[in-house]
Amino acid sequence: MRVESGKKKGRTEYVFYISATLISIALIVYLWSQPWAYTKTGDGLSMAAFPTVFAAGLLIASMTGAILKGRQEEHSQPSPKEEPPLLWPVILLGGGVIASTLGLWYFDAVISSSLLVFFLLFAGRVRDWRLLAGISVGTGLLIYVLFILVLGVYFPRGWLR
């Protein structure tokens, strides 16, 4: 039973990596097949430049994850412990993403992003308070400095203008 659980988890990870790869390839093809993708913006880039970079990053990360997972399975023995069900982390992550999205439009994007990172780390079972606080606050500061101070991009609603 335990070996089957490990195999099932491995297959689930492969399905995720392959799905992410196919979705990112489809997104890149879709983006560049649209006529608006070739419209230049004020900075000289095309309208599809940022989504393409994001989709390419997802493509590279998912392909790298699949390759590393394959190498890990070749060199490791299956773990004897059973993994807990993933229901509660999925509920926490889904709720955090929905709350963060609402926070982007009705609250403040910097604070909402920091809280989302906190919930993602907490759902990922990070319990070291220094990591939780440091990465969450660091993400908020990075978003504030990058978007508001450097680029001058203000979010629809926000306290930190």
Side-chain angles (χ1 to χ4, degrees):
M1 180 78 174
R2 292 179 183 169
V3 175
E4 290 178 15
S5 174
K7 287 182 181 179
K8 185 176 180 182
K9 183 180 177 188
R11 279 184 283 181
T12 305
E13 288 183 43
Y14 277 126
V15 168
F16 171 77
Y17 291 136
I18 291 170
S19 300
T21 300
L22 293 175
I23 289 171
S24 59
I25 290 171
L27 182 62
I28 291 171
V29 169
Y30 171 77
L31 284 172
W32 290 103
S33 66
Q34 300 301 310
W36 54 263
Y38 300 97
T39 305
K40 298 288 182 188
T41 59
D43 56 1
L45 296 174
S46 70
M47 294 272 299
F50 185 70
T52 301
V53 169
F54 178 76
L58 179 63
L59 175 68
I60 292 168
S62 59
M63 290 175 63
T64 304
I67 292 169
L68 291 176
K69 178 68 178 167
R71 287 184 181 171
Q72 179 186 13
E73 285 182 358
E74 290 175 1
H75 299 296
S76 67
Q77 299 294 327
S79 62
K81 67 176 187 171
E82 288 188 33
E83 292 292 323
L86 295 176
L87 182 63
W88 286 111
V90 169
I91 291 172
L92 281 175
L93 293 177
V97 168
I98 291 170
S100 178
T101 303
L102 293 174
L104 289 175
W105 293 107
Y106 299 114
F107 185 55
D108 184 60
V110 176
I111 296 170
S112 177
S113 298
S114 295
L115 290 174
L116 176 64
V117 169
F118 176 79
F119 283 122
L120 288 174
L121 290 171
F122 194 74
R125 297 187 178 123
V126 175
R127 297 295 185 255
D128 186 6
W129 67 270
R130 295 170 294 208
L131 284 175
L132 285 171
I135 294 175
S136 299
V137 171
T139 300
L141 287 173
L142 180 69
I143 289 172
Y144 179 75
V145 168
L146 179 65
F147 284 101
I148 296 174
L149 295 181
V150 174
L151 296 175
V153 175
Y154 295 96
F155 297 103
R157 303 206 194 293
W159 295 347
L160 304 173
R161 287 190 177 223

PDB file of all heavy atoms in Angstrom, residues 6 15 32 62 67 76 78 81 95 107 109 118 123 139 143 147:
ATOM      1  N   GLY A   6       3.313   6.026  -3.003  1.00  0.00           N
ATOM      2  CA  GLY A   6       4.451   6.755  -3.550  1.00  0.00           C
ATOM      3  C   GLY A   6       4.408   6.822  -5.066  1.00  0.00           C
ATOM      4  O   GLY A   6       4.724   7.832  -5.674  1.00  0.00           O
ATOM      5  N   VAL A  15       1.870  14.317 -13.977  1.00  0.00           N
ATOM      6  CA  VAL A  15       0.681  14.886 -14.628  1.00  0.00           C
ATOM      7  C   VAL A  15       0.676  16.399 -14.473  1.00  0.00           C
ATOM      8  O   VAL A  15       0.370  17.141 -15.420  1.00  0.00           O
ATOM      9  CB  VAL A  15      -0.610  14.253 -14.054  1.00  0.00           C
ATOM     10  CG1 VAL A  15      -1.844  15.031 -14.485  1.00  0.00           C
ATOM     11  CG2 VAL A  15      -0.723  12.802 -14.470  1.00  0.00           C
ATOM     12  N   TRP A  32       0.786  34.717 -29.437  1.00  0.00           N
ATOM     13  CA  TRP A  32       1.407  35.223 -30.657  1.00  0.00           C
ATOM     14  C   TRP A  32       0.565  34.987 -31.905  1.00  0.00           C
ATOM     15  O   TRP A  32       0.939  35.419 -32.992  1.00  0.00           O
ATOM     16  CB  TRP A  32       2.812  34.661 -30.800  1.00  0.00           C
ATOM     17  CG  TRP A  32       3.687  35.268 -29.764  1.00  0.00           C
ATOM     18  CD1 TRP A  32       4.106  34.696 -28.613  1.00  0.00           C
ATOM     19  CD2 TRP A  32       4.201  36.594 -29.752  1.00  0.00           C
ATOM     20  NE1 TRP A  32       4.849  35.586 -27.876  1.00  0.00           N
ATOM     21  CE2 TRP A  32       4.931  36.755 -28.555  1.00  0.00           C
ATOM     22  CE3 TRP A  32       4.114  37.672 -30.621  1.00  0.00           C
ATOM     23  CZ2 TRP A  32       5.561  37.945 -28.230  1.00  0.00           C
ATOM     24  CZ3 TRP A  32       4.757  38.859 -30.297  1.00  0.00           C
ATOM     25  CH2 TRP A  32       5.461  38.972 -29.110  1.00  0.00           C
ATOM     26  N   SER A  62       8.453  23.879 -15.292  1.00  0.00           N
ATOM     27  CA  SER A  62       7.768  22.587 -15.309  1.00  0.00           C
ATOM     28  C   SER A  62       8.606  21.510 -15.987  1.00  0.00           C
ATOM     29  O   SER A  62       8.634  20.360 -15.533  1.00  0.00           O
ATOM     30  CB  SER A  62       6.398  22.711 -15.972  1.00  0.00           C
ATOM     31  OG  SER A  62       6.528  23.170 -17.293  1.00  0.00           O
ATOM     32  N   ILE A  67      12.160  16.720 -15.188  1.00  0.00           N
ATOM     33  CA  ILE A  67      13.473  16.082 -15.356  1.00  0.00           C
ATOM     34  C   ILE A  67      14.077  15.747 -13.998  1.00  0.00           C
ATOM     35  O   ILE A  67      14.585  14.638 -13.782  1.00  0.00           O
ATOM     36  CB  ILE A  67      14.412  16.989 -16.186  1.00  0.00           C
ATOM     37  CG1 ILE A  67      13.909  17.077 -17.631  1.00  0.00           C
ATOM     38  CG2 ILE A  67      15.840  16.485 -16.129  1.00  0.00           C
ATOM     39  CD1 ILE A  67      14.598  18.138 -18.456  1.00  0.00           C
ATOM     40  N   SER A  76      16.502   7.087  -5.719  1.00  0.00           N
ATOM     41  CA  SER A  76      16.012   7.051  -4.348  1.00  0.00           C
ATOM     42  C   SER A  76      15.092   5.854  -4.131  1.00  0.00           C
ATOM     43  O   SER A  76      14.478   5.345  -5.054  1.00  0.00           O
ATOM     44  CB  SER A  76      15.260   8.341  -4.009  1.00  0.00           C
ATOM     45  OG  SER A  76      14.066   8.414  -4.760  1.00  0.00           O
ATOM     46  N   PRO A  78      11.693   4.304  -2.212  1.00  0.00           N
ATOM     47  CA  PRO A  78      10.419   4.872  -1.776  1.00  0.00           C
ATOM     48  C   PRO A  78      10.388   5.055  -0.267  1.00  0.00           C
ATOM     49  O   PRO A  78      10.915   4.241   0.481  1.00  0.00           O
ATOM     50  CB  PRO A  78       9.382   3.836  -2.231  1.00  0.00           C
ATOM     51  CG  PRO A  78      10.147   2.593  -2.494  1.00  0.00           C
ATOM     52  CD  PRO A  78      11.558   3.004  -2.807  1.00  0.00           C
ATOM     53  N   LYS A  81       6.927   6.186   4.977  1.00  0.00           N
ATOM     54  CA  LYS A  81       5.814   6.876   5.629  1.00  0.00           C
ATOM     55  C   LYS A  81       4.743   7.242   4.606  1.00  0.00           C
ATOM     56  O   LYS A  81       5.017   7.495   3.446  1.00  0.00           O
ATOM     57  CB  LYS A  81       6.300   8.118   6.360  1.00  0.00           C
ATOM     58  CG  LYS A  81       6.813   9.216   5.452  1.00  0.00           C
ATOM     59  CD  LYS A  81       7.175  10.434   6.253  1.00  0.00           C
ATOM     60  CE  LYS A  81       7.527  11.563   5.292  1.00  0.00           C
ATOM     61  NZ  LYS A  81       7.675  12.806   5.967  1.00  0.00           N
ATOM     62  N   GLY A  95      -8.450  29.376  -0.903  1.00  0.00           N
ATOM     63  CA  GLY A  95      -9.023  30.510  -0.187  1.00  0.00           C
ATOM     64  C   GLY A  95      -8.072  31.697  -0.147  1.00  0.00           C
ATOM     65  O   GLY A  95      -8.498  32.849  -0.285  1.00  0.00           O
ATOM     66  N   PHE A 107      -8.678  46.235  -1.586  1.00  0.00           N
ATOM     67  CA  PHE A 107      -7.921  46.533  -0.383  1.00  0.00           C
ATOM     68  C   PHE A 107      -6.623  47.218  -0.774  1.00  0.00           C
ATOM     69  O   PHE A 107      -6.613  48.387  -1.109  1.00  0.00           O
ATOM     70  CB  PHE A 107      -7.704  45.240   0.400  1.00  0.00           C
ATOM     71  CG  PHE A 107      -7.047  45.405   1.718  1.00  0.00           C
ATOM     72  CD1 PHE A 107      -7.552  46.259   2.677  1.00  0.00           C
ATOM     73  CD2 PHE A 107      -5.902  44.694   2.020  1.00  0.00           C
ATOM     74  CE1 PHE A 107      -6.932  46.410   3.900  1.00  0.00           C
ATOM     75  CE2 PHE A 107      -5.276  44.833   3.224  1.00  0.00           C
ATOM     76  CZ  PHE A 107      -5.789  45.689   4.173  1.00  0.00           C
ATOM     77  N   ALA A 109      -2.821  46.111  -2.867  1.00  0.00           N
ATOM     78  CA  ALA A 109      -2.088  45.042  -3.553  1.00  0.00           C
ATOM     79  C   ALA A 109      -0.824  44.627  -2.804  1.00  0.00           C
ATOM     80  O   ALA A 109      -0.478  43.442  -2.772  1.00  0.00           O
ATOM     81  CB  ALA A 109      -1.727  45.488  -4.964  1.00  0.00           C
ATOM     82  N   PHE A 118       2.430  34.767   2.823  1.00  0.00           N
ATOM     83  CA  PHE A 118       2.385  34.190   4.172  1.00  0.00           C
ATOM     84  C   PHE A 118       1.537  32.923   4.195  1.00  0.00           C
ATOM     85  O   PHE A 118       1.946  31.891   4.729  1.00  0.00           O
ATOM     86  CB  PHE A 118       1.843  35.222   5.162  1.00  0.00           C
ATOM     87  CG  PHE A 118       1.674  34.677   6.549  1.00  0.00           C
ATOM     88  CD1 PHE A 118       2.763  34.556   7.388  1.00  0.00           C
ATOM     89  CD2 PHE A 118       0.435  34.267   7.007  1.00  0.00           C
ATOM     90  CE1 PHE A 118       2.624  34.050   8.667  1.00  0.00           C
ATOM     91  CE2 PHE A 118       0.279  33.754   8.277  1.00  0.00           C
ATOM     92  CZ  PHE A 118       1.377  33.639   9.115  1.00  0.00           C
ATOM     93  N   ALA A 123       0.739  27.167   4.443  1.00  0.00           N
ATOM     94  CA  ALA A 123       0.126  25.952   3.907  1.00  0.00           C
ATOM     95  C   ALA A 123       1.183  24.956   3.455  1.00  0.00           C
ATOM     96  O   ALA A 123       0.946  23.750   3.465  1.00  0.00           O
ATOM     97  CB  ALA A 123      -0.796  26.291   2.739  1.00  0.00           C
ATOM     98  N   THR A 139       8.484  40.333   0.348  1.00  0.00           N
ATOM     99  CA  THR A 139       7.682  40.357  -0.873  1.00  0.00           C
ATOM    100  C   THR A 139       6.903  41.660  -0.975  1.00  0.00           C
ATOM    101  O   THR A 139       6.854  42.283  -2.042  1.00  0.00           O
ATOM    102  CB  THR A 139       6.712  39.160  -0.898  1.00  0.00           C
ATOM    103  OG1 THR A 139       7.462  37.956  -0.854  1.00  0.00           O
ATOM    104  CG2 THR A 139       5.847  39.176  -2.146  1.00  0.00           C
ATOM    105  N   ILE A 143       7.480  44.431  -3.936  1.00  0.00           N
ATOM    106  CA  ILE A 143       6.393  44.900  -4.797  1.00  0.00           C
ATOM    107  C   ILE A 143       6.251  46.418  -4.685  1.00  0.00           C
ATOM    108  O   ILE A 143       6.085  47.112  -5.689  1.00  0.00           O
ATOM    109  CB  ILE A 143       5.078  44.180  -4.443  1.00  0.00           C
ATOM    110  CG1 ILE A 143       5.169  42.723  -4.888  1.00  0.00           C
ATOM    111  CG2 ILE A 143       3.880  44.862  -5.084  1.00  0.00           C
ATOM    112  CD1 ILE A 143       4.026  41.870  -4.440  1.00  0.00           C
ATOM    113  N   PHE A 147       7.165  48.322  -8.117  1.00  0.00           N
ATOM    114  CA  PHE A 147       6.043  48.873  -8.866  1.00  0.00           C
ATOM    115  C   PHE A 147       5.787  50.349  -8.562  1.00  0.00           C
ATOM    116  O   PHE A 147       5.610  51.145  -9.474  1.00  0.00           O
ATOM    117  CB  PHE A 147       4.772  48.060  -8.605  1.00  0.00           C
ATOM    118  CG  PHE A 147       4.761  46.747  -9.329  1.00  0.00           C
ATOM    119  CD1 PHE A 147       5.072  45.584  -8.662  1.00  0.00           C
ATOM    120  CD2 PHE A 147       4.470  46.688 -10.674  1.00  0.00           C
ATOM    121  CE1 PHE A 147       5.077  44.374  -9.327  1.00  0.00           C
ATOM    122  CE2 PHE A 147       4.470  45.485 -11.352  1.00  0.00           C
ATOM    123  CZ  PHE A 147       4.772  44.320 -10.673  1.00  0.00           C
TER     124      PHE A 147
END
